[in-house]
Amino acid sequence: MVKHYLPSSFQEALEIKHQEDVMLIAGGTDLMVQHRTWSELPPQFDKPLLFLFNLAELKYIKKDANTLYIGSMTDLETLLYHNDTPPCLKDIIALMASPAIRYVCTLAGNIVNASPAADSLLALYALDAKLVLTSLKEERIVSIESFITGPRQTIIKSNEIIKEIQLPHQPFNRVHFKKIGGRKSDAISKLAFLGLANVNQDHQIDTFRIVLNAVAPTLIRLHETERTVEGLSLEAFKHQKDALLEAYNTAIKPIDDQRSNRTYRRQAALNLIRQFIETL
Amino acid sequence: MTTVKFTLNGKKVTLETDISRRFLDVLRNDLNQTGPKEGCGEGECGACAVLLDGHSVNSCLLPLAYVHNKEVMTIEGYAETERYKVLEEAFIHEGSVQCGICIPGMMIAAESLLNQNPNPSETSIRHSLSGNLCRCTGYNMIVKAIQRAAQRGKGLW
Amino acid sequence: MKDISKSVEKIDAKEKISGRMKYVSDYKMDDMLYAKTVRSTQCHAKIKAIHLPELPKGYYTVDYRDIPGENFVKMIFEDWPVFAEETVNYIGEPILLVVGKDKAVIQSIIRDITIDYEPLKPTFEYTKSEVHYHYTKGNPKPIFDKHNQHIEYTYKTGYQEQAYIEPQGFIAYLEGERIVLEGSIQAPYYVKNAVVNTMACEADAIRVIQTTVGGAFGGKEEFPSVMGCQLAVAVHKIKQPIKLIYEREEDMEVTTKRHPSKIVMTAAIDSNQKIAGLHARVALDGGAYVGLSSVVLSRAMIAATNAYTIDHLDIEGDVYRTHTVPNGAFRGFGAPQMIFAIEMFMHHIAHTLKIDPFAFRMNHLAKQGDLTSTSGTFRDPILMPEMIKKACDISNYHEKVKTYSDPKVRKGIGMSWFFHGCGFTGSGEAKHINAKVKLKKDDQDVVHLLIAAVDMGQGAKTTLMKVASHVLEIPLSQIRYANPDTDEVPDSGPTVASRTAMIVGGLVARASKQLKAKWAKGKEVVVYEQYQQPDYVKWDEETFTGDAYPAYSWGVNIVEVEVDKATYEVDVKKCWSVYDIGKSLDDLVVLGQADGGAAQGIAYGYLEVMNHKDGKIQQKNMTDYIIPTAVDMAQTETHFIENPFALGPYGAKGAGELTLVGGAPAVALAIEMAINKHITKIPVTPEFIMELMQNDDR
């Protein structure tokens, strides 16, 4: 039988990760499904597991003047009901899986799983999340977008563990989240859309964000396109509608699968973008 | 082998076994708790739900490792409580039970909800059951039962 | 006496709520072994060789060579092998079982098995007909010649998976020389008869016991016979208890589903804008083996005119063989496909003729005394006009139709009318089933209902015990109704076809009456009753002529929806229903049937997507095959109109399937109104709505 590890401190976890080729497991809600074999048998992993979910020191939500700090083993139910969780992230979590799953499901797990259809990543992309990656010897901070390189691919090193997710405070007074699943709750997204903007008193767009999932190998956020409309008056912005739609239409590359098809994904994504632009 | 200690229905349990095992299997095979059922094995149906520190979780997804130092209650343990009796009466009164395979999980989800929110709206009840699939009832009679229990169980939650 | 409709506490509720109720996966026996099935990975191929690893002691394989009797599962059509022999005909077809004590060892044996295939050309189209039926009413040919305005539409329906929450399962063991099978089943005698055939043994060598069923919906009608035969062969060979429980993915990939269909409807319209004649061609995808698809086809064909009377009919149908998972029984049994087609067709004809669909339908509504599609007679009162009025009033239907007809409004309301024939089709009850029931009063004056009817959640135990209790005038606590065991109960038929309350319940009522007459305090008394077809019911199996059913239940569903402009998602707002099920045997039990049926029927129409790609099922788990959650399910308002049927217990007719069959057309018609496009295919997914809306702007 493979030996698995249930560390009692983060330090111990880092030491194990440093010494041995182990697989990290956070809440396990994805891994336990992916690796199951037959009822009553243990799931089959080809490496020893390092169980992180019980590490109390990685369960926290704190903030300072600029940033919200989320310990990597914070579960989604806690985030859903916490006062400091950004509203768009709450909207997203409320429609993720079910209460029972959310109670043992973590942001870090979602991030490392790097699914193109991950909903929580919409907010992390839109809010310019940073990840603190820790190993026994060092610590580095990377942006969420540089961390995820492809479907289920990340730049995490074999000795690293995500310690924290950092969300810089950013004001948005326009928030539009829409998830399209096969049903109204407890469904994996066919696609999901998050649109954020901050419109100032002079009716100018200070900041503008659109993130989409499940329409490309990784989530879609077009920084250059966003910059073309930031600073515009709402009036001028509306004239950019076609250009914006064209930019997203070019960037998205949806596929056919058991949940939906590429034509629908493209059309629904464009409709949601148009709706967001028109209601800004 | 790693030692895992937890409380099951108020009693202390110590186990030495593979800690990657699904908690559902440990409950059913090692601890004789067959109230939690396996309906899908992937956290969709909720038939395997148990309370972990008072909150509903899917035991089919939960590695045994994660119950370490925690309090677990299965439907068998919950059935001994006052709150259970209120829900039981309501489920019977509203005719919420058909084939019954999802019902222990529904009871656990209902307890988890009422524990957090003793006066839930119909919408919150529906969302709280989103991880508990039932193919017989169309849910409405279960939703009504939880509304009734919330009404009649005042002060218990 | 108390009104039997008044609800009582469900007999098994407390045991189920507390988790104390045992289902087959909870059973354990000493020396119990596990079995796992090795299946075809090819949709159509010759098996050239099977390479088995050397088996450790105590581990076995079981295949067709171990079958003492015939290698087919006895149902209606004798083509479904217990284990594949030379060829495989669908992905997931069972080839052999691996049996042993330790699941991990079984897994590793299975990993080491290799099978060489020689692929054969598969068929997935409606080309190879295995069953062809045809019937007429009146003189359709001259009518079609005379009225040359013909309107034709083609309707398509997809798979639907029963998605019972408890997967299929059995445990089997020897009792002396006899084989005992305990499992989650709807039809104990189907399993027993199939196993007797496969084992080539005497009937009393096989004992089948029903374990508490965690949902069935038709999925545990004929499929368990396949597993039962395999396990009987295994137990006979190995002589130790064996447990076989399907994993969810296995269950979804290889067990029977609702038949996909294609239905072409052609109407000849007369000068009064009425349907003079109807021609329907029904194609069912039977999958790799016919099984009981022929009976599904006949129920579909007989429902061709649904709740309408049309004088001249030409109805044909085929079951086609394809290299896909075999399809079979699912609540409604052919009727949901046909009722979807005819309800949409009535609207599409009205649209084509530019007349009001409601008035057009009312003009065709069947009345007492009319001839049925098969030239039998609707003998009993038909209360549909009153039921339709009630449904329209409580939903504000007519007002909403006006408001939602505005093309800018993305809301819609749809109404379906439907019936369901109670009991087996045609001469099934009298010729094939011939149901028997036995009641035994023991010397403690406790009455035992000894019947083969299965409570799979629908409440059969509660309602049938109530029937006995009311006739005998004794409390429920003095009555027992154990899960059927073929050693104890006579064959009262399978628990299918909306027959349990009406047919078996009718026999229980008669037997109770007999028992009451023979009641002798403190002494054992046993009584029997057997089904007798009412004299007036005549049926010709060859020509499909006569009374296809002894009675009909009727219903109206109204569904309101809103369609999202950006995402084309359908939001089901509410569902109103009015039913005539004769007489309710328990108001909460029938309400449960109504809600559950609506959930499945509506979801069949817009939510539940299953398809195959080159014979491989694409949605094979609960994540990918979407059934409604509590959030998706709309509120319901349901009314029952009493219309007692003389031969049903206290007037009861069937209720189980009726509540499903109208859901899909009601929701599809609502969506049709919301998007102002004709819908000819279900499920009406957002993807399909988008396609319809892009075809041309309205």
Side-chain angles (χ1 to χ4, degrees), chain C residues 40-307:
Chain C
S40 167
T41 55
Q42 307 285 311
C43 58
H44 190 30
K46 227 184 191 78
I47 298 176
K48 287 172 66 189
I50 298 175
H51 307 284
L52 298 177
E54 200 177 319
L55 299 179
K57 193 171 174 315
Y59 290 81
Y60 311 85
T61 60
V62 179
D63 65 22
Y64 75 91
R65 292 166 304 181
D66 298 306
I67 298 172
E70 295 182 276
N71 185 15
F72 67 83
V73 183
K74 194 176 167 204
M75 304 174 193
I76 284 169
F77 202 88
E78 300 179 344
D79 67 339
W80 192 333
V82 176
F83 291 110
E85 292 189 20
E86 287 156 9
T87 54
V88 286
N89 291 305
Y90 64 97
I91 291 173
E93 179 160 7
I95 297 170
L96 55 88
L97 297 180
V98 178
V99 181
K101 188 145 190 75
D102 184 339
K103 282 187 167 185
V105 177
I106 296 174
Q107 286 276 88
S108 83
I109 292 170
I110 290 176
R111 267 195 299 272
D112 291 340
I113 295 176
T114 54
I115 301 176
D116 301 337
Y117 296 100
E118 181 186 314
L120 300 168
K121 192 176 178 309
T123 310
F124 301 120
E125 308 302 322
Y126 292 112
T127 50
K128 196 168 180 310
S129 169
E130 291 291 337
V131 179
H132 177 80
Y133 290 149
H134 179 220
Y135 74 87
T136 59
K137 173 189 179 187
N139 285 304
K141 183 148 194 332
I143 290 293
F144 268 81
D145 290 344
K146 182 179 159 197
H147 301 287
N148 56 16
Q149 185 179 11
H150 296 174
I151 297 174
E152 181 173 303
Y153 277 85
T154 300
Y155 299 94
K156 290 180 184 170
T157 65
Y159 278 118
Q160 190 178 20
E161 159 63 37
Q162 294 87 354
Y164 31 70
I165 306 298
E166 178 209 29
Q168 305 262 1
F170 268 102
I171 184 165
Y173 52 93
L174 289 182
E175 200 174 61
E177 297 282 295
R178 305 175 73 210
I179 297 171
V180 186
L181 291 141
E182 298 197 47
S184 180
I185 59 180
Q186 282 175 255
Y189 274 91
Y190 276 10
V191 177
K192 175 166 167 142
N193 296 340
V195 172
V196 166
N197 184 68
T198 292
M199 299 309 295
C201 63
E202 296 297 320
D204 63 8
I206 305 298
R207 177 180 182 189
V208 176
I209 304 169
Q210 175 235 322
T211 58
T212 297
V213 174
F217 317 111
K220 294 170 184 173
E221 176 174 343
E222 82 281 26
F223 187 83
S225 296
V226 178
M227 293 173 79
C229 288
Q230 293 170 348
L231 264 190
V233 173
V235 166
H236 175 72
K237 177 176 181 173
I238 300 164
K239 309 208 183 309
Q240 261 178 269
I242 305 175
K243 191 171 175 180
L244 177 58
I245 307 284
Y246 279 179
E247 299 281 289
R248 173 58 58 182
E249 291 205 354
E250 180 177 30
D251 194 303
M252 289 193 112
E253 203 174 3
V254 310
T255 66
T256 48
K257 309 180 192 314
R258 190 183 306 289
H259 298 73
S261 75
K262 180 177 142 185
I263 301 176
V264 185
M265 306 286 274
T266 315
I269 307 297
D270 69 16
S271 53
N272 298 320
Q273 297 197 309
K274 276 195 75 174
I275 301 173
L278 177 74
H279 188 176
R281 280 156 286 161
V282 185
L284 296 185
D285 180 347
Y289 299 111
V290 176
L292 48 62
S293 297
S294 56
V295 200
V296 176
L297 176 66
S298 58
R299 194 179 269 271
M301 288 170 64
I302 291 165
T305 54
N306 190 21

Side-chain angles (χ1 to χ4, degrees), chain C residues 677-678 688-698:
Chain C
K677 304 280 178 191
H678 278 178
F688 181 42
I689 293 174
M690 176 197 75
E691 217 178 280
L692 289 171
M693 294 184 68
Q694 284 181 339
N695 281 347
D696 57 290
D697 284 334
R698 58 180 194 175

